[in-house]
Amino acid sequence: AAALALAHGGIGEDPERGDAGWAGAVVELRGGEIARVTVAAAVGGQDAFLAARLAEGAAHMGVGIALSEEVVHHDAVCDGRFRVLGVLKQKHTPPLVALTVARGGTAREVSEPAVAAVAAAVANAVGAVEDAGRRLPLKGSGAAREIGRAHV
């Protein structure tokens, strides 16, 4: 069985730069694990290939934010070591598909809206198949547990 979830993110309108940017994401779950993440981002004047790579990197960050990443404090001091932060490793990253939508005009932000859209879509997909709570990261979810096993 597959669970699909859609979310979108945007950073609004900047009076000096015009429409700043938007992105949408679809997350597909199969058997409790993330089978694929697809993100589409608006592209202004920047190179479409570069914008797609930015969206791909943002998708990686969005999955990590939703499932594993958090800032840990010890006695009010942030522990910034990667292994403590829960940054998603490449070998644990599900397949990512990045699409760009040409909108013309000036360059638009790609990464910020894509991170938000992917994190929300992951949370929506996980929430559609289990009660994983409402607070990110969803470390106790089946998808968070499976991500380490499925993509080694």
Side-chain angles (χ1 to χ4, degrees):
L4 295 174
L6 172 68
H8 73 280
I11 57 173
E13 193 170 311
D14 181 336
E16 294 182 21
R17 292 180 38 210
D19 182 20
W22 62 265
V26 176
V27 173
E28 182 179 352
L29 290 179
R30 284 200 185 114
E33 76 174 279
I34 297 177
R36 180 176 49 214
V37 175
T38 303
V39 61
V43 178
Q46 66 266 62
D47 175 80
F49 179 80
L50 173 62
R53 301 299 66 82
L54 289 170
E56 195 172 76
H60 174 269
M61 292 172 60
V63 172
I65 287 168
L67 297 180
S68 62
E69 294 181 26
E70 65 182 335
V71 177
V72 178
H73 292 87
H74 300 286
D75 298 322
V77 177
C78 175
D79 188 338
R81 295 175 291 167
F82 271 11
R83 66 183 168 87
V84 174
L85 293 174
V87 175
L88 193 63
K89 294 180 181 177
Q90 182 181 2
K91 68 181 180 179
H92 298 150
T93 303
L96 306 173
V97 178
L99 308 171
T100 58
V101 179
R103 295 189 64 199
T106 61
R108 291 177 169 81
E109 299 297 331
V110 174
S111 297
E112 290 86 350
V115 168
V118 170
V122 169
N124 288 344
V126 169
V129 297
E130 66 178 286
D131 183 13
R134 299 291 230 174
R135 185 177 173 146
L136 299 181
L138 303 172
K139 286 186 170 187
S141 69
R145 289 189 302 273
E146 287 296 325
I147 205 147
R149 295 183 207 137
H151 302 285
V152 176

